[in-house]
Amino acid sequence: MKEQIEQAILAVLPDAQVHIIDPDGAHFQGLVISASFIGMPLLKQHKLVMNALKEKFATDTVHALQLKTFTPEKWEAQKSNYIN
């Protein structure tokens, strides 16, 4: 499922770096880093990603996705908060 989520996001944002964590097979955590987010409000970034996954949520066992989106610049400034 993790790979399917990544592929669905990459289909909409081919330039993205996508990192999906799957702690239990139904609840996922995702980090999406993309230059396409530059100048885009956070809500619109999340809607873009979630719209790509709408079908997965409707038909598969994906119950929740905790999503964080970043521009490359914002990621560089904040990645130490996410990577040990």
Side-chain angles (χ1 to χ4, degrees):
M1 182 58 62
K2 178 179 155 181
E3 292 80 17
Q4 293 172 330
I5 292 171
E6 290 171 353
Q7 291 304 313
I9 294 169
L10 288 169
V12 174
L13 294 165
D15 71 320
Q17 295 177 46
V18 180
H19 305 279
I20 304 295
I21 300 166
D22 175 7
D24 65 6
H27 301 88
F28 297 85
Q29 298 168 351
L31 294 173
V32 182
I33 303 135
S34 175
S36 298
F37 294 147
I38 295 172
M40 188 181 295
L42 183 61
L43 183 60
K44 191 168 182 179
Q45 294 173 24
H46 283 221
K47 282 184 178 182
L48 181 64
V49 173
M50 295 308 288
N51 282 340
L53 299 174
K54 191 181 292 187
E55 188 173 311
K56 288 282 170 222
F57 280 95
T59 61
D60 289 323
T61 58
V62 176
H63 296 296
L65 174 66
Q66 178 186 6
L67 182 62
K68 301 278 186 183
T69 57
F70 300 91
T71 63
E73 181 180 0
K74 185 177 173 186
W75 174 246
E76 285 302 316
Q78 296 185 17
K79 71 180 175 183
S80 63
N81 298 327
Y82 299 92
I83 298 174
N84 295 331

